[in-house]
Amino acid sequence: MDFELLYGIVKIILIATTPLVFAGIGELVTEKSGVLNLGVEGMMLVGAVTAFVTLVITGNYILAFTFSILSGVIMSSLFAFLVLILMSNQIATGLALTIFGIGLSSMIGKNYIGTPIEGLSPWFFVIFSFVIVFFISYFFYKTKAGLILRAVGESHNSAHALGYGVLKIRFCSIIFGGAMCALAGSYMSICYAPMWQENMTAGRGWIALALVVFATWKPGRILIGAYIFGGVSILQMNFQAWGLSLPGQFFNMAPYLATLIVLVLISSNKLRVKLSAPASLTIPFFKGR
Amino acid sequence: MNKFIPIIISRPQSSNLMNVLVPVIAVILTLLTGSIIFSIMGFNPFFALHTFFISPISTSYGISELLVKATPLALIAIGLAFCFKNNIYNIGAEGQLTMGAIFGGGIGIYFYDTNAFWLLPLMILGGAIGGALWAMIPALLKTKFNTNEILTSLMLVYVALLILDYLVVGPWKDPLGYSFPKTRQFSESGRMPLLFAGLRVHFGLIITLVLIFFSWFIFSKTIFGFQLKVSGYSPTAARYAGFSQNILVYLAFGICGAFAGIAGLSEVSGPIGLLYRDISPNYGFTAIIVAFLGRLHPIGIIFASLIIALTYLGAEDAQLFMQIPAAVGFVFQGLILFYLLGADLLVNYKLEFNK
């Protein structure tokens, strides 16, 4: 294999994997605080369409990303209100957020399908994705605030007894998750694609959720997992280009099947999952009578 | 200020009245929100709500279309109830529906020039087997490898859709269909009989009603239904009682998959008549909302399926007459579920204002 081709592949893998890293690390922070948000796909789509439409109207990249992140904050606050204050079932609420997000994004983006825009260079975001993973890793294991967040996810009653505001900390973690998912979406519609299409995230939100399990809730491993998935989905395109004789649909299955296989391998060790998952995940916190 | 913020107090026992009332509250709140959204978009809210929720069902054709849409939703939702009652989160019904359509529809394509009474029953059986087999994968992964069924069942949706895509552009493509990605038509005896001449409502509705009655019988009259309920409320109690959780997982997934598969088959052999890419407008996902809105109860699911089917019809009309994208239907579905889950608080807690 010549160097030129290898360089090309590495470049594409870096560009294609970045949204998985953003969404994965956002969801990881949310889950670390003890909340499972299945709305990743919906928040990514709304983030993507918000960024795209803002860019088409204003022509301003900074505004596009700001509004997109704001949309993620609003979507995740809605989720936070339901699961934290009204103590609704987190799994069902997350599903509702995804269904709502799919509908809302295709409604907003209806007139913008196929509108041409000038894409932004992805490299700033590629580097930023590594920085944010490093930062979150540092935050969790080297700062007191990170320790408190993890404590809330492990045992909200103990954290509450020690005087920490469980709901406040969970709220912030959910908002951070929402903002990162929206950033992943806006990166896809402005840097990666660059265009808007209904359901353009094509299940990446769900793969990001699987990444958190793969990473056994450790930030650094999100990078490893994301690059395995990114690599698989890019390599399948290259296999196709190299003329491997299988219908295209079977190559397109690769990322989903890879997710499935990896999930099985990770979770078949019951003890490992039990030890690494936040102990209060999906359990609502009720401090009242 | 604090006078206006209610305090949440847990009830000693969950309220049965609220259990029934909450879905009604959710629907009313959704209508209110909907009218606000329509006014912001510059429509008269009464006109908009009328276009959305009343005019689609003001003709016999409209009622028939409502039943056509409600049929698969109710059938999948009652299947999901088997899973959800036991806290098994199978969210891949869309994939099981697709596999049912592939297995049953495949039989229909193979016998495309045969007219025989046994063809439709064979296709229905094929649909049930296809859906059940596809649902067995997450069930097996959950019991043998402890793998979370939410993600595995969802990943299999994408795989099933790609398999369907491969079949309709590849080996099963209609040789006379030019380059359209669709298969041959099923023969006349491979189609669901229509219930009324000139209307699209078909025999699938009868199958759905029979299976809903069957499910009600299982839920309330059999040991299996009792086991599902107990292990849903308290897995520990179920374990002490000696119920095998693994068998419950296989049965729940198997029944749910079979129902979704039959729903998929009755779509392709009912209104559609052949296989192509977009056989389902997200019925498998929307049925999750139907199941929750219907409180996992057979009667509730029938009502919920009619309400949610109406959002599909209303969205189509809104697109025709008000130029609002049809995706507004999904927005309404999401809103209903939000309100339902939020108002669920009232079942187990009560609100009290400071005096």
Side-chain angles (χ1 to χ4, degrees):
Chain A
M1 197 196 285
D2 58 311
F3 180 73
E4 199 72 6
L5 182 67
L6 189 69
Y7 173 73
I9 292 178
V10 170
K11 199 170 122 181
I12 301 172
I13 290 180
L14 279 168
I15 293 173
T17 305
T18 300
L20 288 178
V21 178
F22 283 145
I25 199 76
E27 177 66 17
L28 182 129
V29 172
T30 306
E31 288 191 23
K32 268 287 187 194
S33 78
V35 179
L36 177 68
N37 186 352
L38 293 184
V40 179
E41 182 89 357
M43 295 189 292
M44 281 176 77
L45 281 168
V46 172
V49 79
T50 309
F52 190 84
V53 171
T54 314
L55 183 64
V56 170
I57 293 174
T58 66
N60 186 330
Y61 289 99
I62 294 173
L63 269 185
F65 280 102
T66 314
F67 279 12
S68 165
I69 287 173
L70 207 62
S71 78
V73 170
I74 294 171
M75 291 277 284
S76 53
S77 321
L78 184 66
F79 174 82
F81 175 72
L82 281 162
V83 301
L84 296 181
I85 309 291
L86 301 182
M87 293 175 281
S88 66
N89 177 330
Q90 292 178 6
I91 293 172
T93 312
L95 283 175
L97 193 65
T98 287
I99 293 172
F100 180 72
I102 291 173
L104 190 66
S105 62
S106 26
M107 210 173 121
I108 297 173
K110 187 73 182 176
N111 299 324
Y112 295 89
I113 296 172
T115 311
I117 57 161
E118 199 164 324
L120 197 63
S121 160
W123 295 110
F124 167 75
F125 296 96
V126 173
I127 294 164
F128 182 61
S129 73
F130 284 90
V131 173
I132 193 97
V133 171
F134 176 78
F135 170 77
I136 293 295
S137 208
Y138 178 84
F139 170 75
F140 273 154
Y141 300 109
K142 300 283 178 207
T143 68
K144 193 180 171 197
L147 182 65
I148 295 170
L149 192 150
R150 287 190 291 139
V152 166
E154 291 300 337
S155 166
H156 47 222
N157 289 330
S158 316
H160 175 64
L162 288 171
Y164 298 119
V166 172
L167 295 185
K168 212 179 287 171
I169 291 164
R170 285 197 171 156
F171 185 77
C172 294
S173 317
I174 294 173
I175 298 289
F176 178 79
M180 291 310 286
C181 290
L183 178 64
S186 51
Y187 170 89
M188 286 201 64
S189 67
I190 289 187
C191 304
Y192 180 66
M195 57 164 187
W196 165 251
Q197 212 179 11
E198 278 183 20
N199 284 325
M200 66 179 293
T201 49
R204 281 181 181 79
W206 296 102
I207 292 181
L209 278 157
L211 272 179
V212 179
V213 181
F214 171 84
T216 53
W217 291 268
K218 291 183 181 62
R221 294 188 190 170
I222 288 277
L223 276 178
I224 303 172
Y227 277 92
I228 292 176
F229 288 115
V232 167
S233 37
I234 293 305
L235 282 183
Q236 52 103 353
M237 279 182 216
N238 281 282
F239 280 132
Q240 245 168 313
W242 295 331
L244 224 74
S245 60
L246 256 180
Q249 289 89 349
F250 290 96
F251 289 107
N252 293 340
M253 282 176 207
Y256 309 115
L257 289 176
T259 309
L260 206 70
I261 292 166
V262 164
L263 273 177
V264 170
L265 291 180
I266 291 291
S267 32
S268 57
N269 186 340
K270 240 180 191 163
L271 191 67
R272 180 166 54 198
V273 176
K274 207 166 190 175
L275 287 178
S276 33
S280 297
L281 196 60
T282 76
I283 302 171
F285 173 67
F286 179 57
K287 74 175 170 194
R289 289 171 278 171
Chain B
M1 183 63 207
N2 263 341
K3 247 197 278 190
F4 301 106
I5 300 174
I7 311 175
I8 300 169
I9 297 170
S10 65
R11 293 181 194 272
Q13 237 180 347
S14 55
S15 154
N16 280 333
L17 173 71
M18 279 302 166
N19 207 12
V20 179
L21 220 61
V22 159
V24 180
I25 296 175
V27 171
I28 293 172
L29 286 176
T30 306
L31 289 179
L32 280 178
T33 316
S35 51
I36 294 172
I37 294 176
F38 284 133
S39 343
I40 293 174
M41 290 169 84
F43 295 99
N44 176 348
F46 293 105
F47 165 73
L49 288 181
H50 187 268
T51 313
F52 211 97
F53 292 108
I54 298 183
S55 68
I57 47 167
S58 49
T59 60
S60 60
Y61 177 78
I63 304 253
S64 147
E65 286 302 293
L66 184 75
L67 295 175
V68 168
K69 294 266 192 297
T71 299
L73 288 174
L75 183 51
I76 301 168
I78 196 76
L80 287 172
F82 282 88
C83 290
F84 293 168
K85 267 179 191 284
N86 197 12
N87 290 329
I88 299 165
Y89 288 98
N90 171 17
I91 59 171
E94 184 81 2
Q96 291 140 26
L97 174 153
T98 307
M99 265 304 152
I102 290 174
F103 270 59
I107 297 170
I109 293 157
Y110 186 78
F111 292 110
Y112 72 96
D113 54 358
T114 309
N115 265 314
F117 71 93
W118 47 261
L119 184 54
L120 186 61
L122 190 66
M123 286 167 72
I124 295 172
L125 187 68
I129 291 174
L133 281 179
W134 205 243
M136 274 305 127
I137 303 173
L140 195 80
L141 297 181
K142 183 178 171 68
T143 52
K144 290 269 182 268
F145 301 102
N146 185 36
T147 312
N148 182 318
E149 74 278 11
I150 299 176
L151 292 169
T152 53
S153 62
L154 191 97
M155 288 298 139
L156 288 168
V157 173
Y158 292 97
V159 176
L161 290 174
L162 285 165
I163 292 175
L164 176 67
D165 191 63
Y166 161 70
L167 290 172
V168 298
V169 298
W172 288 4
K173 202 174 76 152
D174 183 0
L176 306 172
Y178 305 102
S179 54
F180 291 111
K182 62 183 183 64
T183 65
R184 290 176 197 271
Q185 292 263 357
F186 305 144
S187 78
E188 202 42 52
S189 62
R191 299 290 301 271
M192 289 278 172
L194 297 176
L195 296 183
F196 304 99
L199 297 177
R200 293 208 310 162
V201 58
H202 54 85
F203 188 66
L205 177 66
I206 309 291
I207 299 178
T208 298
L209 289 175
V210 170
L211 289 177
I212 288 179
F213 179 77
F214 166 79
S215 310
W216 169 81
F217 183 80
I218 289 192
F219 289 152
S220 51
K221 305 280 175 207
T222 65
I223 295 274
F224 169 54
F226 179 68
Q227 291 181 339
L228 272 182
K229 203 162 138 189
V230 171
S231 74
Y233 279 127
S234 164
T236 332
R239 210 164 43 241
Y240 281 123
F243 304 160
S244 159
Q245 178 64 23
N246 283 359
I247 291 175
L248 287 184
V249 170
Y250 285 121
L251 277 174
F253 261 110
I255 292 173
C256 182
F259 283 14
I262 294 173
L265 182 271
S266 66
E267 273 305 289
V268 294
S269 76
I272 302 175
L274 45 76
L275 287 180
Y276 65 108
R277 272 183 187 139
D278 304 309
I279 52 171
S280 153
N282 274 339
Y283 284 140
F285 293 111
T286 310
I288 297 172
I289 302 177
V290 174
F292 282 122
L293 190 64
R295 292 287 186 208
L296 310 182
H297 187 280
I299 307 285
I301 283 174
I302 292 177
F303 280 112
S305 70
L306 292 171
I307 292 170
I308 299 292
L310 189 53
T311 63
Y312 275 102
L313 294 186
E316 282 170 16
D317 275 18
Q319 185 167 29
L320 270 181
F321 301 119
M322 295 157 58
Q323 280 74 49
I324 296 176
V328 71
F330 293 121
V331 175
F332 271 110
Q333 292 165 9
L335 278 178
I336 288 189
L337 190 49
F338 277 138
Y339 281 125
L340 180 80
L341 295 165
D344 254 349
L345 177 83
L346 298 173
V347 175
N348 291 313
Y349 300 89
K350 59 186 169 188
L351 304 179
E352 226 167 63
F353 291 87
N354 271 336
K355 287 176 191 105

mmCIF file of all heavy atoms in Angstrom, chain A residues 213 262-273, chain B residues 141 145-148:
data_model
loop_
_atom_site.group_PDB
_atom_site.id
_atom_site.type_symbol
_atom_site.label_atom_id
_atom_site.label_comp_id
_atom_site.label_asym_id
_atom_site.label_seq_id
_atom_site.Cartn_x
_atom_site.Cartn_y
_atom_site.Cartn_z
ATOM 1 N N VAL A 213 -20.905 2.271 26.559
ATOM 2 C CA VAL A 213 -20.802 0.934 27.146
ATOM 3 C C VAL A 213 -19.450 0.335 26.793
ATOM 4 O O VAL A 213 -18.757 -0.236 27.642
ATOM 5 C CB VAL A 213 -21.939 0.021 26.633
ATOM 6 C CG1 VAL A 213 -21.848 -1.353 27.263
ATOM 7 C CG2 VAL A 213 -23.283 0.653 26.914
ATOM 8 N N VAL A 262 -19.255 -5.750 19.251
ATOM 9 C CA VAL A 262 -18.476 -5.161 20.330
ATOM 10 C C VAL A 262 -19.274 -5.132 21.631
ATOM 11 O O VAL A 262 -18.758 -5.453 22.707
ATOM 12 C CB VAL A 262 -18.016 -3.747 19.923
ATOM 13 C CG1 VAL A 262 -17.543 -2.971 21.125
ATOM 14 C CG2 VAL A 262 -16.922 -3.840 18.888
ATOM 15 N N LEU A 263 -20.571 -4.775 21.523
ATOM 16 C CA LEU A 263 -21.423 -4.761 22.722
ATOM 17 C C LEU A 263 -21.461 -6.128 23.374
ATOM 18 O O LEU A 263 -21.382 -6.255 24.592
ATOM 19 C CB LEU A 263 -22.844 -4.352 22.333
ATOM 20 C CG LEU A 263 -23.146 -2.869 22.289
ATOM 21 C CD1 LEU A 263 -24.559 -2.644 21.815
ATOM 22 C CD2 LEU A 263 -22.948 -2.256 23.661
ATOM 23 N N VAL A 264 -21.594 -7.174 22.537
ATOM 24 C CA VAL A 264 -21.655 -8.535 23.073
ATOM 25 C C VAL A 264 -20.353 -8.874 23.791
ATOM 26 O O VAL A 264 -20.355 -9.384 24.912
ATOM 27 C CB VAL A 264 -21.947 -9.545 21.945
ATOM 28 C CG1 VAL A 264 -21.767 -10.954 22.441
ATOM 29 C CG2 VAL A 264 -23.351 -9.338 21.408
ATOM 30 N N LEU A 265 -19.216 -8.535 23.136
ATOM 31 C CA LEU A 265 -17.922 -8.880 23.730
ATOM 32 C C LEU A 265 -17.729 -8.182 25.070
ATOM 33 O O LEU A 265 -17.255 -8.779 26.037
ATOM 34 C CB LEU A 265 -16.788 -8.488 22.777
ATOM 35 C CG LEU A 265 -16.708 -9.331 21.504
ATOM 36 C CD1 LEU A 265 -15.559 -8.867 20.634
ATOM 37 C CD2 LEU A 265 -16.536 -10.806 21.862
ATOM 38 N N ILE A 266 -18.111 -6.887 25.128
ATOM 39 C CA ILE A 266 -17.901 -6.135 26.362
ATOM 40 C C ILE A 266 -18.808 -6.626 27.476
ATOM 41 O O ILE A 266 -18.385 -6.841 28.610
ATOM 42 C CB ILE A 266 -18.169 -4.627 26.125
ATOM 43 C CG1 ILE A 266 -17.083 -4.035 25.222
ATOM 44 C CG2 ILE A 266 -18.211 -3.863 27.439
ATOM 45 C CD1 ILE A 266 -15.737 -3.940 25.857
ATOM 46 N N SER A 267 -20.108 -6.839 27.135
ATOM 47 C CA SER A 267 -21.040 -7.106 28.226
ATOM 48 C C SER A 267 -21.097 -8.570 28.621
ATOM 49 O O SER A 267 -21.718 -8.890 29.630
ATOM 50 C CB SER A 267 -22.439 -6.573 27.894
ATOM 51 O OG SER A 267 -22.705 -6.642 26.539
ATOM 52 N N SER A 268 -20.442 -9.460 27.855
ATOM 53 C CA SER A 268 -20.498 -10.865 28.251
ATOM 54 C C SER A 268 -19.789 -11.076 29.588
ATOM 55 O O SER A 268 -20.063 -12.045 30.283
ATOM 56 C CB SER A 268 -19.889 -11.752 27.174
ATOM 57 O OG SER A 268 -18.573 -11.345 26.938
ATOM 58 N N ASN A 269 -18.904 -10.128 29.949
ATOM 59 C CA ASN A 269 -18.303 -10.208 31.276
ATOM 60 C C ASN A 269 -19.177 -9.416 32.244
ATOM 61 O O ASN A 269 -19.049 -8.207 32.389
ATOM 62 C CB ASN A 269 -16.884 -9.635 31.238
ATOM 63 C CG ASN A 269 -16.163 -9.823 32.553
ATOM 64 O OD1 ASN A 269 -16.789 -10.040 33.587
ATOM 65 N ND2 ASN A 269 -14.848 -9.733 32.517
ATOM 66 N N LYS A 270 -20.094 -10.133 32.903
ATOM 67 C CA LYS A 270 -21.108 -9.480 33.733
ATOM 68 C C LYS A 270 -20.484 -8.599 34.809
ATOM 69 O O LYS A 270 -20.929 -7.484 35.058
ATOM 70 C CB LYS A 270 -21.957 -10.566 34.407
ATOM 71 C CG LYS A 270 -23.420 -10.472 34.052
ATOM 72 C CD LYS A 270 -24.193 -11.576 34.747
ATOM 73 C CE LYS A 270 -25.593 -11.649 34.199
ATOM 74 N NZ LYS A 270 -26.300 -12.872 34.484
ATOM 75 N N LEU A 271 -19.441 -9.104 35.422
ATOM 76 C CA LEU A 271 -18.848 -8.408 36.551
ATOM 77 C C LEU A 271 -18.260 -7.071 36.121
ATOM 78 O O LEU A 271 -18.417 -6.055 36.791
ATOM 79 C CB LEU A 271 -17.764 -9.295 37.173
ATOM 80 C CG LEU A 271 -17.245 -8.789 38.519
ATOM 81 C CD1 LEU A 271 -18.351 -8.874 39.555
ATOM 82 C CD2 LEU A 271 -16.039 -9.606 38.946
ATOM 83 N N ARG A 272 -17.619 -7.086 34.937
ATOM 84 C CA ARG A 272 -16.971 -5.862 34.463
ATOM 85 C C ARG A 272 -18.000 -4.747 34.268
ATOM 86 O O ARG A 272 -17.791 -3.617 34.686
ATOM 87 C CB ARG A 272 -16.231 -6.130 33.150
ATOM 88 C CG ARG A 272 -15.541 -4.890 32.607
ATOM 89 C CD ARG A 272 -14.553 -5.217 31.531
ATOM 90 N NE ARG A 272 -15.165 -6.004 30.469
ATOM 91 C CZ ARG A 272 -14.474 -6.719 29.589
ATOM 92 N NH1 ARG A 272 -13.167 -6.768 29.661
ATOM 93 N NH2 ARG A 272 -15.090 -7.392 28.640
ATOM 94 N N VAL A 273 -19.140 -5.105 33.656
ATOM 95 C CA VAL A 273 -20.172 -4.093 33.426
ATOM 96 C C VAL A 273 -20.705 -3.601 34.757
ATOM 97 O O VAL A 273 -20.859 -2.404 34.992
ATOM 98 C CB VAL A 273 -21.313 -4.666 32.568
ATOM 99 C CG1 VAL A 273 -22.426 -3.648 32.420
ATOM 100 C CG2 VAL A 273 -20.787 -5.065 31.213
ATOM 101 N N LEU B 141 -28.919 -12.652 22.873
ATOM 102 C CA LEU B 141 -27.770 -11.870 23.329
ATOM 103 C C LEU B 141 -27.979 -11.392 24.763
ATOM 104 O O LEU B 141 -27.031 -11.299 25.543
ATOM 105 C CB LEU B 141 -27.531 -10.673 22.404
ATOM 106 C CG LEU B 141 -27.167 -11.021 20.960
ATOM 107 C CD1 LEU B 141 -26.939 -9.763 20.146
ATOM 108 C CD2 LEU B 141 -25.922 -11.896 20.917
ATOM 109 N N PHE B 145 -25.402 -13.426 26.800
ATOM 110 C CA PHE B 145 -24.218 -12.572 26.919
ATOM 111 C C PHE B 145 -24.481 -11.306 27.706
ATOM 112 O O PHE B 145 -23.665 -10.385 27.692
ATOM 113 C CB PHE B 145 -23.681 -12.213 25.526
ATOM 114 C CG PHE B 145 -23.302 -13.403 24.712
ATOM 115 C CD1 PHE B 145 -24.131 -13.862 23.710
ATOM 116 C CD2 PHE B 145 -22.117 -14.072 24.970
ATOM 117 C CE1 PHE B 145 -23.786 -14.971 22.956
ATOM 118 C CE2 PHE B 145 -21.766 -15.194 24.228
ATOM 119 C CZ PHE B 145 -22.606 -15.647 23.217
ATOM 120 N N ASN B 146 -25.689 -11.204 28.346
ATOM 121 C CA ASN B 146 -25.926 -10.067 29.226
ATOM 122 C C ASN B 146 -25.886 -8.738 28.481
ATOM 123 O O ASN B 146 -25.565 -7.707 29.038
ATOM 124 C CB ASN B 146 -24.844 -10.099 30.333
ATOM 125 C CG ASN B 146 -25.056 -9.038 31.370
ATOM 126 O OD1 ASN B 146 -26.190 -8.738 31.704
ATOM 127 N ND2 ASN B 146 -23.976 -8.462 31.858
ATOM 128 N N THR B 147 -26.213 -8.769 27.161
ATOM 129 C CA THR B 147 -26.079 -7.553 26.365
ATOM 130 C C THR B 147 -27.387 -6.753 26.397
ATOM 131 O O THR B 147 -28.451 -7.315 26.232
ATOM 132 C CB THR B 147 -25.754 -7.906 24.903
ATOM 133 O OG1 THR B 147 -24.695 -8.852 24.910
ATOM 134 C CG2 THR B 147 -25.325 -6.682 24.129
ATOM 135 N N ASN B 148 -27.261 -5.441 26.585
ATOM 136 C CA ASN B 148 -28.412 -4.543 26.682
ATOM 137 C C ASN B 148 -29.267 -4.614 25.421
ATOM 138 O O ASN B 148 -28.796 -4.347 24.323
ATOM 139 C CB ASN B 148 -27.880 -3.132 26.901
ATOM 140 C CG ASN B 148 -28.983 -2.138 27.054
ATOM 141 O OD1 ASN B 148 -29.971 -2.181 26.329
ATOM 142 N ND2 ASN B 148 -28.829 -1.244 27.994
#
